[in-house]
Amino acid sequence: MEGAEDSGSAAPPQPNLTPRHRQLIPTPCGPIKPCSELSFPVKIYFCVTILSLLSVIGLTIETLVRQTEEDFTISLIQLIGVVFCVYYVTRGILQENRQELIVFVLSILLVMFRSIVNFTVLSAEQKPKLLARFILILLVGSFDVICAIILIQSQSMMAFRVGGALESLQSQYVMVNLCFSMLTFDLQAQLCLSVLLISLHEITLLHNIISATGVLWACLKVSISIIAILKELKPLVWIFLTQNIPEVAFLIYLLYTVIREWGKGNSYTLEAAFIIGSFISVAIKAVLFWALIHVYRSFGQGLRERMFSSYGRIDS
């Protein structure tokens, strides 16, 4: 009888709540997956992509020293873009960040397009010497783009792993992730615009000094915004928004100056690139402000504790 009572009063078996994933790694831009979680094909793609980007960086630096002023400016902008691509593909894979993978694809396509243009204008004597490099860039670039598109279309579980089953926390994580991406895009746009501005002939020395100072200003602005989001400090958010006012005003003034001087030079490439880049920069800021307002309203609702505590654990 006692044995029957003991068996009847025994506690029911507990479900297995062991997380299916390893613990996530905290970073200043949000949690990322450890490399051990990546599948073997993704690891191969990641390694090949990083090696190909480093090769493109080396080739770009090599060609910088023997180009004209206009080509030098475009190559320098391409170099900045490829350096940012290393960050984009790393964060895109380890954080399952779709928007940064999309920008990575666009950047690689731009590098391939410029390689095609440069190869078509070569003389018949130079083409055989650079044919192997040209084919290699197209093959590796196509591989990077196709695999990145596959990753973009795959399912992302990072919002669930960080925010848990609460849809409100998941949407807040998505907005925070979008803010970090837009901040990176905005920094890249500012660096490229500064390079273009210094290269424009109709811009004065004072403008060049302001442009160089603007690089430091952009880095300071990004640092303040990251601290504001991570620490959920509302005063710093307002400081960041205020920092963008003189930046946008100066950008509008430069656009007016470039458009007023349009047609006085022999080439319109840099001027057109500056105008297009300015509109892209304003569009990035608009998306950034929209996402930042949503993040600002969600301060204090528990996402910060989840992002910097027990990542990926069921009991968190």
Side-chain angles (χ1 to χ4, degrees):
M1 294 294 292
E2 292 180 359
E5 291 178 0
D6 291 341
S7 61
S9 61
Q14 297 294 324
N16 183 11
L17 297 181
T18 304
R20 292 178 300 171
H21 302 282
R22 294 177 180 269
Q23 192 174 11
L24 300 179
I25 301 174
T27 69
C29 296
I32 62 174
K33 299 187 297 185
C35 292
S36 57
E37 284 193 17
L38 301 178
S39 63
F40 182 73
V42 174
K43 288 180 180 178
I44 295 296
Y45 167 68
F46 185 45
C47 294
V48 171
T49 302
I50 294 298
L51 290 176
S52 63
L53 290 175
L54 294 178
S55 300
V56 173
I57 290 174
L59 293 175
T60 306
I61 294 176
E62 178 189 353
T63 57
L64 278 175
V65 297
R66 51 184 177 82
Q67 291 185 328
T68 61
E69 182 177 353
E70 185 173 295
D71 290 335
F72 178 87
T73 302
I74 297 175
S75 295
L76 184 57
I77 293 174
Q78 176 179 304
L79 178 62
I80 294 173
V82 176
V83 171
F84 272 89
C85 276
V86 176
Y87 170 80
Y88 293 150
V89 73
T90 302
R91 191 161 178 256
I93 292 177
L94 297 181
Q95 204 174 44
E96 299 178 0
N97 192 315
R98 286 191 175 94
Q99 57 261 21
E100 299 202 0
L101 285 175
I102 292 173
V103 174
F104 168 73
V105 169
L106 295 176
S107 301
I108 295 300
L109 289 175
L110 184 60
V111 171
M112 294 172 62
F113 174 76
R114 185 156 189 261
S115 298
I116 293 173
V117 173
N118 289 343
F119 188 77
T120 54
V121 298
L122 290 175
S123 62
E125 298 178 355
Q126 292 177 316
K127 284 185 177 181
K129 300 177 181 178
L130 300 177
L131 180 61
R133 178 190 298 184
F134 173 69
I135 295 176
L136 181 63
I137 291 176
L138 292 185
L139 291 177
V140 176
S142 301
F143 172 78
D144 291 343
V145 169
I146 293 173
C147 293
I149 292 175
I150 295 174
L151 290 176
I152 291 171
Q153 296 176 342
S154 61
Q155 185 179 10
S156 175
M157 294 295 293
M158 288 297 291
F160 175 77
R161 293 180 65 180
V162 177
L166 295 176
E167 293 184 0
S168 59
L169 287 179
Q170 292 183 27
S171 61
Q172 290 172 25
Y173 170 76
V174 171
M175 283 297 172
V176 170
N177 215 19
L178 181 61
C179 279
F180 284 131
S181 297
M182 290 298 113
L183 286 171
T184 310
F185 301 158
D186 185 52
L187 178 61
Q188 180 182 353
Q190 292 301 313
L191 293 177
C192 293
L193 286 176
S194 298
V195 172
L196 282 171
L197 181 60
I198 294 175
S199 304
L200 295 176
H201 298 289
E202 62 272 10
I203 301 301
T204 63
L205 177 61
L206 178 61
H207 292 154
N208 291 337
I209 296 175
I210 296 175
S211 177
T213 307
V215 174
L216 300 177
W217 179 268
C219 295
L220 175 64
K221 187 182 65 174
V222 170
S223 301
I224 289 176
S225 60
I226 291 176
I227 295 174
I229 295 173
L230 296 181
K231 300 294 184 180
E232 295 186 349
L233 300 176
K234 292 185 176 181
L236 285 185
V237 174
W238 287 106
I239 292 176
F240 168 75
L241 294 176
T242 305
Q243 284 180 304
N244 284 273
I245 296 176
E247 192 175 282
V248 174
F250 184 64
L251 190 61
I252 294 174
Y253 167 72
L254 289 176
L255 277 174
Y256 166 76
T257 303
V258 171
I259 294 174
R260 185 186 60 186
E261 300 293 332
W262 183 269
K264 294 184 179 180
N266 297 325
S267 176
Y268 307 102
T269 304
L270 298 181
E271 288 80 357
F274 183 83
I275 294 174
I276 295 173
S278 299
F279 283 107
I280 293 176
S281 177
V282 172
I284 292 173
K285 291 181 186 297
V287 176
L288 173 60
F289 293 166
W290 174 78
L292 189 58
I293 290 173
H294 284 75
V295 172
Y296 179 88
R297 293 175 178 174
S298 66
F299 281 175
Q301 297 183 14
L303 180 63
R304 176 171 175 264
E305 288 73 15
R306 282 184 173 270
M307 289 183 66
F308 296 96
S309 58
S310 299
Y311 299 124
R313 295 186 182 276
I314 300 297
D315 58 358
S316 65

